[in-house]
């Protein structure tokens, strides 16, 4: 998978950039004289539906000068802030472009919408600063054949300082930030055949239309055309910046072919190791990850959290979505001390929660965890998949809302939240353990009604395992930690290949904590 920023930290799978250019009804080639044409989302939907009825045809590649850019060439090309769209206005937003080249061999069209009319934007070499020799090879003020993607900035961290809000770059990848965040996990418009038999297909946003914001507008609207061999799509993004940046998405999909494995709302992240990992890495930092929990909120009021893993083999987990109102990937630890990485700033990585809007039909939440030997590997994928796969000629529309930000756990309300998970050798400390299949789990629950209870309160742990044997389950309040309770228990893995664990704290009437889930693989069990 490709990450849309800091490419030096990410491995890239080959063949990501397959796409199809739009027909002449919507797109004007960048080499033509720019002209205005009427634009509406309904019109974009009609065009993409029509495109789905014809075969996929890739656009022409870049010329040699741009296609030959190396990583070092590309990372030393910067968009000039004074060339940003709307830089001379008093709106809250600025639009910048990413230079074509390196991995981005198929130009993306960019359009500005004003009063229902769209005009193509032409970017020139003079809009960029070339801190290398590349600029000498390109004639000054030459029009570029489209761009690689777009970035939208807004002053939501400090007055007058235009910081990055959202970027669209690389196939259908995009990233957003809440105030105070630094880039971490990515989202995609769509995922096809992710970690299934056969190659994964990567649909691509081939064009964007951005509504010019008026003075005082607190939101910005972006439309996108999606293309691949199997599907076309029309997307509408309504983006509202803040501590919790909210993006409302409508995706109208038109299927050229039947799709066996459709993935909606895909999130891609990195989990290397954490407190609960059986440590395989010699590293000075206590944790390295962009996200550490899968979080799901049920209509019953239950909140389920699953610590992520860097497994010894690819792991697919499926969760029935019946009653699940929200789901997403969370970065729960928010202190610098939890990571000790001043450069990567893992404690500032955003969490993302997704609300499905409307009736999506039956489906499942799917979590894919992939072995990673380096922190440059994006090894976590989360998506929603329908139980009934789409067929050739079928149309489907999905609406959802995304929340990007710190999303503090203490905002969860009455339930104590899982503050940390730790594991280690089972049995009593300082005593030799003969059973190497014995593992200890330590879970800290913090806040909520439970946090305010007296240490002698009548509360108890509920712990279950799909296999093996649980023993020595003990719950107590930690004296030197306000509002925190700790649960210990041992698990004897015995001969099970995989064990699913579940735990929470309750009293006689109700759950008092989030429900903790954990997957323990046999190859992690010591022989």
């Amino acid at each position: 998978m490709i990450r849309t920023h800091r490419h030096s930290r990410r491995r890239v799978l080959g063949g990501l950039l397959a796409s199809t250019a739009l027909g002449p009804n919507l797109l004007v080639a960048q080499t033509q004289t720019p002209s205005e044409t009427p634009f509406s989302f309904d019109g974009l939907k009609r065009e993409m539906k029509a495109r789905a009825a014809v075969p996929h045809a890739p656009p022409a590649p870049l010329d040699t000068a741009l296609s030959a850019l190396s990583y070092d060439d590309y990372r030393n090309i910067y968009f000039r802030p004074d060339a940003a769209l709307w830089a001379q206005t008093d709106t809250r937003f600025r639009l910048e472009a990413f230079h074509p080249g390196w991995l981005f061999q198929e130009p993306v069209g960019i359009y500005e919408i004003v009063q229902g009319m769209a005009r193509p934007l032409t970017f020139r070499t003079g809009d960029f600063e070339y801190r290398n020799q590349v600029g000498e090879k390109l004639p000054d003020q030459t029009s570029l054949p489209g761009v690689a993607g777009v970035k939208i900035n807004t002053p939501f961290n400090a007055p007058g300082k235009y910081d990055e809000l959202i970027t669209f770059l690389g196939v259908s990848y995009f990233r957003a930030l809440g105030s105070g965040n630094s880039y971490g996990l990515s989202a995609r418009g769509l995922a096809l055949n992710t970690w299934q038999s056969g190659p994964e297909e990567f649909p691509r946003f081939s064009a964007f239309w951005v509504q010019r914001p008026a003075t005082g507008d607190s939101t910005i609207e972006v439309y996108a055309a999606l293309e691949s061999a199997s599907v076309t799509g029309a997307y509408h993004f309504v983006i509202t910046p803040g501590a919790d940046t909210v993006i409302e998405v409508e995706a109208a999909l038109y299927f050229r072919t039947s799709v066996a494995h459709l993935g909606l709302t895909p999130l891609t992240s990195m989990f290397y190791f954490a407190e609960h990992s059986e440590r395989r890495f010699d590293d000075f930092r206590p944790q390295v990850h962009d996200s550490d929990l899968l979080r799901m909120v049920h209509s019953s009021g239950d909140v389920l959290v699953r610590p992520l893993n860097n497994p010894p083999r690819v792991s697919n987990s499926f969760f029935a979505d019946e009653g699940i109102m929200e789901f997403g990937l969370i970065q729960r630890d928010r202190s610098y001390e939890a990571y000790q990485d001043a450069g990567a700033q893992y404690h500032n990585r955003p969490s993302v929660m997704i609300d499905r809007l409307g009736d999506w039909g039956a489906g499942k939440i799917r979590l894919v965890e992939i072995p990673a030997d380096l922190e440059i590997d994006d090894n976590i994928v989360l998506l929603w998949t329908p139980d009934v796969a789409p067929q050739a000629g079928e149309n489907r529309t999905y609406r959802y809302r995304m929340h990007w930000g710190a999303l503090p756990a203490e905002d969860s309300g009455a339930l104590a939240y899982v503050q940390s998970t730790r594991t280690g050798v089972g049995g009593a400390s300082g005593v030799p353990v003969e059973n190497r299949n014995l593992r200890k789990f330590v879970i800290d629950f913090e806040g909520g009604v439970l946090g305010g209870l007296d240490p002698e309160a009548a509360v108890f742990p509920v712990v279950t395992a799909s296999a093996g044997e649980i023993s020595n389950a003990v719950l107590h309040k930690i004296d030197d930690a306000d509002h925190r309770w700790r649960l210990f228990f041992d698990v004897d893995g015995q001969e099970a290949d995989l064990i699913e664990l579940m735990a929470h704290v309750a009293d006689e009437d109700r759950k008092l904590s989030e429900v903790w889930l954990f997957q323990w693989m046999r190859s992690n069990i010591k022989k």
Side-chain angles (χ1 to χ4, degrees):
M1 290 114 198
I2 180 174
R3 301 204 71 175
T4 57
H5 301 273
R6 297 185 69 182
H7 291 284
S8 62
R9 298 184 58 249
R10 292 295 178 259
R11 294 177 178 171
V12 182
L13 296 180
L16 297 190
L17 303 181
S19 67
T20 298
L22 288 177
N25 292 342
L26 283 175
L27 286 186
V28 178
Q30 294 291 315
T31 55
Q32 297 178 359
T33 302
S35 59
E36 292 186 346
T37 55
F39 177 86
S40 69
F41 190 37
D42 286 341
L44 179 59
K45 291 177 181 178
R46 289 191 295 269
E47 175 68 12
M48 300 316 296
K49 183 176 182 179
R51 291 297 302 170
V54 300
H56 172 70
L62 293 170
D63 63 29
T64 304
L66 294 177
S67 63
L69 293 182
S70 68
Y71 165 70
D72 286 331
D73 290 334
Y74 193 83
R75 73 186 184 95
N76 283 301
I77 301 174
Y78 296 81
F79 193 87
R80 296 180 180 275
D82 59 355
L85 190 63
W86 314 313
Q88 309 308 317
T89 71
D90 59 355
T91 65
R92 290 185 55 187
F93 301 96
R94 302 285 185 268
L95 183 145
E96 299 182 2
F98 289 98
H99 202 283
W102 187 45
L103 297 175
F104 312 109
Q105 297 291 313
E106 295 167 350
V108 174
I110 311 296
Y111 299 81
E112 180 188 24
I113 307 169
V114 182
Q115 296 181 344
M117 301 296 289
R119 68 179 183 95
L121 300 177
T122 301
F123 294 91
R124 301 176 180 274
T125 53
D127 296 328
F128 294 86
E129 179 184 352
Y130 298 88
R131 300 179 187 176
N132 48 29
Q133 303 302 310
V134 173
E136 298 176 4
K137 303 175 185 178
L138 301 173
D140 189 35
Q141 296 302 325
T142 298
S143 295
L144 295 169
V147 294
V150 294
K151 175 195 304 182
I152 296 173
N153 300 335
T154 193
F156 69 143
N157 288 313
K161 184 177 183 294
Y162 282 81
D163 291 318
E164 295 182 28
L165 168 64
I166 188 169
T167 62
F168 295 88
L169 178 64
V171 285
S172 70
Y173 280 85
F174 62 96
R175 282 177 164 184
L177 299 170
S179 57
N181 291 155
S182 57
Y183 278 124
L185 78 171
S186 303
R188 276 185 279 170
L190 201 64
L192 302 176
N193 202 37
T194 299
W195 282 92
Q196 300 286 349
S197 58
E200 182 168 359
E201 184 176 331
F202 288 85
R204 172 181 178 261
F205 287 138
S206 54
F208 294 96
W209 292 259
V210 185
Q211 180 74 48
R212 180 191 290 180
T215 301
D217 280 356
S218 59
T219 64
I220 187 166
E221 296 184 58
V222 177
Y223 302 85
L226 180 128
E227 283 270 7
S228 81
S230 300
V231 65
T232 68
Y235 281 68
H236 181 203
F237 301 87
V238 181
I239 306 157
T240 305
D244 173 2
T245 289
V246 178
I247 305 175
E248 294 204 11
V249 184
E250 180 176 344
L253 304 176
Y254 308 96
F255 293 91
R256 283 185 166 119
T257 66
S258 298
V259 173
H261 302 285
L262 176 66
L264 296 158
T265 71
L267 300 177
T268 302
S269 192
M270 179 274 291
F271 180 88
Y272 192 39
F273 63 86
E275 295 164 329
H276 63 268
S277 303
E278 295 184 44
R279 194 68 172 255
R280 309 198 308 267
F281 309 107
D282 187 12
D283 198 297
F284 74 94
R285 298 164 295 181
Q287 300 189 80
V288 176
H289 49 73
D290 287 340
S291 309
D292 62 350
L293 291 172
L294 162 63
R295 183 172 183 263
M296 297 173 286
V297 180
H298 197 275
S299 58
S300 66
D302 286 350
V303 178
L304 297 88
V305 295
R306 227 297 287 277
L308 301 177
N309 283 310
N310 182 354
R313 59 185 182 273
V314 175
S315 170
N316 273 282
S317 299
F318 295 85
F319 304 87
D321 78 334
E322 185 176 358
I324 298 295
M325 301 167 58
E326 304 173 55
F327 63 95
L329 295 176
I330 297 298
Q331 185 78 319
R332 180 144 283 180
D333 281 326
R334 289 294 173 187
S335 68
Y336 166 78
E337 288 74 18
Y339 305 92
Q340 295 290 325
D341 195 323
Q345 298 281 304
Y346 287 116
H347 60 291
N348 287 332
R349 301 297 169 98
S351 299
V352 177
M353 291 294 292
I354 297 167
D355 311 328
R356 288 175 296 141
L357 305 176
D359 183 7
W360 285 28
K364 295 179 179 63
I365 297 164
R366 179 181 171 214
L367 175 67
V368 186
E369 297 165 299
I370 305 158
D373 293 324
L374 297 169
E375 65 187 278
I376 62 171
D377 296 331
D378 273 346
N379 62 325
I380 303 295
V381 182
L382 179 70
L383 49 81
W384 186 92
T385 182
D387 286 348
V388 179
Q391 303 301 306
E394 187 177 349
N395 309 330
R396 294 189 181 185
T397 296
Y398 297 94
R399 295 177 55 247
Y400 55 97
R401 182 183 298 114
M402 309 180 79
H403 301 263
W404 296 71
L407 309 184
E410 56 267 24
D411 292 346
S412 299
L415 292 176
Y417 60 89
V418 175
Q419 192 275 336
S420 66
T421 301
R422 295 177 175 84
T423 66
V425 63
S429 298
V431 177
V433 178
E434 295 183 1
N435 182 0
R436 304 307 299 172
N437 285 348
L438 194 65
R439 194 76 181 162
K440 185 179 297 296
F441 290 85
V442 181
I443 310 163
D444 283 357
F445 297 93
E446 186 168 333
V449 172
L450 177 67
L453 294 180
D454 184 88
E456 302 304 319
V459 297
F460 55 89
V462 178
V463 185
T464 62
S466 62
E469 183 178 346
I470 295 170
S471 61
N472 304 320
V474 177
L475 174 71
H476 68 92
K477 194 167 190 179
I478 302 175
D479 294 336
D480 60 354
D482 292 340
H483 312 299
R484 186 177 302 181
W485 291 69
R486 176 163 290 179
L487 169 62
F488 295 86
F489 61 90
D490 288 337
V491 179
D492 184 348
Q494 299 176 350
E495 296 303 314
D497 289 330
L498 183 148
I499 302 174
E500 297 285 355
L501 301 170
M502 182 181 298
H504 68 270
V505 179
D507 61 15
E508 293 297 335
D509 300 316
R510 56 180 172 167
K511 290 186 178 74
L512 296 174
S513 72
E514 294 178 329
V515 178
W516 173 89
L517 310 174
F518 196 87
Q519 186 181 83
W520 187 26
M521 283 191 173
R522 180 173 180 76
S523 55
N524 287 358
I525 301 173
K526 309 302 180 185
K527 290 299 184 181

